[in-house]
Amino acid sequence: MAAAQERLSDGADGPDNGGGAPHEKPTDGGPPAFRAAVDALRGARGRAEVEIDPVPPPRRLAPYAYALEAAVVDGDEDLADGRLVLLHDPAGHDGWRGTFRLVTLVRAELEAEMAADPLLPEVCWSWLTGALDGRGLGYGEPSGTVTRAGSHYFGGLAPRPPASQIEIRASWTPEEDARGVPDAAAHLAAWCDLLAQVAGLPPAPSSDASVVTLPQRRGPRTF
């Protein structure tokens, strides 16, 4: 597994976001290929249910990085959330087999019967690769983990019912064009497809209607 994917965590905006390595450059700077990829991310538009905001990127994973957070929203309820980080090392990276790497964390609550499905991890991983393949995207070196966890509440939180969560952590190397620039907007669209699928939303009109999604959740989120 690429080191960058292993280190992306909920604390990515904490210790790894401060200090920084001497070779770091501001997010708005960088080589033309990185600036073009970031501009594509900033200009991309996704499903109305997916709210996307830029966030400070982790700073020790690559010389250049740009990060987004997103939540799948239904009224006042968040059905799923995640983070997508674009990394760039102009010198290339042996583990990536390229100069760009996309790293993600996606998570959502599960219905109890879905959480008990022994095939759930394989299915969730197929959602990621299926989202990329469904957009016709070239990519390499996919790597990641699918984790399901259960929470039981005690003391002051005892009134809450037990909850189950799914978490997908993954990274992949996007194919670059002749200019050395990946189709960052299309990769973001595929990532939003994954978020929507994990959240249990029906496929978008242009998506494959045969895909299987998680049942849409209505209970309170506990992230």
Side-chain angles (χ1 to χ4, degrees):
M1 183 182 299
Q5 190 273 327
E6 292 177 348
R7 293 178 58 190
L8 180 64
S9 68
D10 287 342
D13 294 338
D16 267 3
N17 198 35
H23 61 262
E24 289 171 6
K25 305 295 189 300
T27 299
D28 289 337
F34 177 71
R35 296 200 304 270
V38 170
D39 286 345
L41 290 175
R42 288 172 170 166
R45 296 292 180 269
R47 292 182 59 156
E49 303 95 333
V50 182
E51 297 183 354
I52 303 174
D53 293 296
V55 293
R59 294 189 179 276
R60 294 182 181 177
L61 305 184
Y64 304 94
Y66 183 77
L68 298 166
E69 282 190 346
V72 181
V73 179
D74 180 22
D76 294 330
E77 182 185 358
D78 288 357
L79 301 176
D81 60 18
R83 180 184 299 129
L84 183 69
V85 180
L86 175 72
L87 304 175
H88 180 52
D89 187 341
H93 191 292
D94 290 342
W96 304 352
R97 297 185 182 273
T99 64
F100 282 90
R101 189 77 171 171
L102 283 159
V103 187
T104 188
L105 163 68
V106 172
R107 57 191 181 180
E109 284 195 7
L110 296 175
E111 300 290 350
E113 58 272 20
M114 179 67 73
D117 187 341
L119 297 179
L120 181 65
E122 288 79 6
V123 170
C124 288
W125 182 254
S126 74
W127 290 343
L128 169 64
T129 56
L132 296 169
D133 295 339
R135 294 276 177 176
L137 294 169
Y139 62 95
E141 305 302 315
S143 179
T145 63
V146 176
T147 304
R148 52 184 164 188
S151 299
H152 296 264
Y153 301 97
F154 302 93
L157 299 178
R160 293 189 182 183
S164 298
Q165 299 87 28
I166 191 73
E167 181 179 273
I168 303 170
R169 294 174 182 266
S171 63
W172 64 95
T173 299
E175 186 177 78
E176 301 169 16
D177 63 18
R179 302 171 300 153
V181 181
D183 190 346
H187 281 270
L188 176 59
W191 182 68
C192 289
D193 291 342
L194 171 65
L195 270 172
Q197 196 165 7
V198 170
L201 296 184
S206 59
S207 300
D208 182 357
S210 67
V211 298
V212 178
T213 61
L214 288 177
Q216 191 169 15
R217 286 156 299 282
R218 298 294 180 182
R221 296 290 305 284
T222 57
F223 293 136

